[in-house]
Amino acid sequence: HLFISLNVGHDANHNAITTHPFLAAVLKRSLDIVGVSSYCWRINHNKLHHQYTSIPDIDSTADSRTVVR
């Protein structure tokens, strides 16, 4: 369930699932259900990761990859 929620939340935050505003808002918050802050996700992933992809100490996703692997 964790990876499904992360994938749905990830895709919803990229507006890749639906254009319906209410459904998009609900899906974006699917991360909150599994304990991941959807607010922090939007900041860390969308802003820091996509603007500074794979730059150490800035891209928080790159710094945490060893934990996920």
Side-chain angles (χ1 to χ4, degrees):
H1 294 119
L2 173 66
F3 289 113
I4 291 170
S5 296
L6 287 174
N7 193 30
V8 169
H10 174 268
D11 290 350
N13 277 295
H14 283 294
N15 297 316
I17 295 178
T18 183
T19 57
H20 189 274
F22 178 76
L23 183 56
V26 170
L27 293 174
K28 287 177 183 181
R29 286 167 181 77
S30 68
L31 295 170
D32 296 317
I33 294 170
V34 294
V36 176
S37 169
S38 59
Y39 174 77
C40 289
W41 176 276
R42 283 190 297 279
I43 293 171
N44 288 330
H45 182 75
N46 292 347
K47 298 197 186 309
L48 297 178
H49 172 64
H50 284 289
Q51 288 180 10
Y52 306 104
T53 305
S54 300
I55 298 175
D57 299 324
I58 297 176
D59 180 0
S60 60
T61 306
D63 294 339
S64 65
R65 284 187 182 157
T66 56
V67 174
V68 175
R69 287 183 184 169

